[in-house]
Amino acid sequence: MLAFFKNEWKSGLKSLLIWSLCVGGMGLLCLVLYKSMEESMADMADSFASMGAFSEAFGMSTLSIATLKGYFATEIGTIHALGSSFFAASIGTVILSKEEDGHTAEFTFVFPVSRVRIIAMKFAAVIANLICFTAICALFYGIGFIALGEKSIGSEFVTFMLFQFMMNLEIASICFVISAISKKNRMGIGISVAMLFYVYDLMARVVPDLKDYIFISPFSYSNATSIYSNAETDTVAVILGACIIIMMTCVAGMIYSKRDLAS
């Protein structure tokens, strides 16, 4: 069984490195630029905080971008949330469908190993990719904080990265179902799912009728501005996210294990 995990790990290593270096590197660059923009940020902070719905959506009404904490939460937090969710969607969507799209299903599933175990190893590879992606990006951001003279990254940073990992795992599990259903590469659909969740989260922060249902989006409990402003963690959203991860993974396994695979 480990052979399947190793194969998936090797085949996805290049993609992992590209995504993590791009997202983490972009975040690091933005952090390093903070010092040069610090004075101008102080002038713009009040303006951004009073921009109504825009300020509410991006958390600029609760955190000042003139501070490093506020700057990280509003700027780097957004970059990481979008980049990581797209990465999670991309690997979750193709991990199963690529066997039929690439006409390798007849080879992969002739081994004397149950299809369920192969699926489990594939999802384990998705989890491993997300763990490594999160760790690499956290390392980049940590380097940025050190470069700015920060001695401690703070508990908020650890909480943010952990919830981002959970958010990505939730998105990946939903896309895992798409991968189990489809015979073709549907990466575009997977990334659209992540984008829809993100847009819904933004809308729910400014539209009163949606605020009570913001927990539907995995971006709700992993939002950097909420975490850094010490807002109370949405327990309902976290529990719902955990249930979705378990349920979607099981559903994908049941669907794919009973499917007639195209050669």
Side-chain angles (χ1 to χ4, degrees):
M1 282 181 61
L2 285 177
F4 293 100
F5 175 83
K6 291 178 180 178
N7 181 65
E8 291 298 335
W9 172 256
K10 290 179 180 178
S11 64
L13 185 58
K14 183 178 178 180
S15 176
L16 166 65
L17 292 176
I18 291 173
W19 276 94
S20 56
L21 290 176
C22 287
V23 176
M26 192 179 301
L28 173 59
L29 179 61
C30 290
L31 270 175
V32 172
L33 289 174
Y34 172 75
K35 277 294 182 182
S36 63
M37 300 187 296
E38 191 171 8
E39 292 184 7
S40 59
M41 284 290 185
D43 296 331
M44 294 187 294
D46 292 337
S47 299
F48 280 129
S50 58
M51 292 179 69
F54 180 85
S55 302
E56 287 288 334
F58 290 95
M60 294 181 182
S61 59
T62 55
L63 288 172
S64 172
I65 62 170
T67 64
L68 180 57
K69 182 170 72 171
Y71 178 77
F72 177 85
T74 55
E75 303 296 330
I76 290 81
T78 301
I79 292 172
H80 182 83
L82 279 173
S84 64
S85 63
F86 289 169
F87 172 65
S90 68
I91 59 174
T93 308
V94 304
I95 194 75
L96 293 176
S97 60
K98 68 179 182 180
E99 297 292 351
E100 291 176 88
D101 191 37
H103 304 287
T104 57
E106 69 272 23
F107 172 77
T108 303
F109 293 98
V110 295
F111 289 95
V113 179
S114 70
R115 198 183 293 183
V116 172
R117 291 187 177 183
I118 295 176
I119 295 169
M121 287 297 100
K122 283 178 172 287
F123 195 70
V126 171
I127 296 173
N129 271 272
L130 293 178
I131 291 174
C132 290
F133 176 89
T134 304
I136 293 171
C137 288
L139 179 61
F140 272 110
Y141 306 149
I143 292 172
F145 283 123
I146 293 172
L148 293 173
E150 290 292 311
K151 296 180 179 179
S152 174
I153 59 175
S155 59
E156 296 97 340
F157 177 77
V158 176
T159 302
F160 168 68
M161 297 306 296
L162 287 175
F163 276 138
Q164 283 289 308
F165 169 73
M166 181 177 174
M167 175 198 78
N168 294 327
L169 189 57
E170 183 177 347
I171 291 174
S173 66
I174 294 171
C175 293
F176 200 54
V177 175
I178 298 173
S179 186
I181 295 171
S182 178
K183 296 181 180 180
K184 298 291 183 180
N185 186 332
R186 305 297 183 189
M187 188 185 297
I189 296 176
I191 291 178
S192 297
V193 169
M195 179 57 76
L196 284 172
F197 276 131
Y198 179 74
V199 172
Y200 177 81
D201 179 73
L202 291 181
M203 291 176 61
R205 293 181 186 279
V206 297
V207 179
D209 292 341
L210 292 178
K211 284 189 175 181
D212 290 338
Y213 305 99
I214 192 173
F215 65 88
I216 294 173
S217 170
F219 287 90
S220 61
Y221 59 79
S222 60
N223 184 273
T225 55
S226 297
I227 294 170
Y228 272 85
S229 60
N230 295 316
E232 186 177 350
T233 302
D234 191 338
T235 307
V236 174
V238 174
I239 294 174
L240 177 63
C243 292
I244 287 175
I245 292 170
I246 297 171
M247 183 174 65
M248 291 294 102
T249 306
C250 293
V251 168
M254 288 188 292
I255 292 173
Y256 201 75
S257 62
K258 294 179 181 179
R259 269 187 52 194
D260 291 328
L261 302 179
S263 59

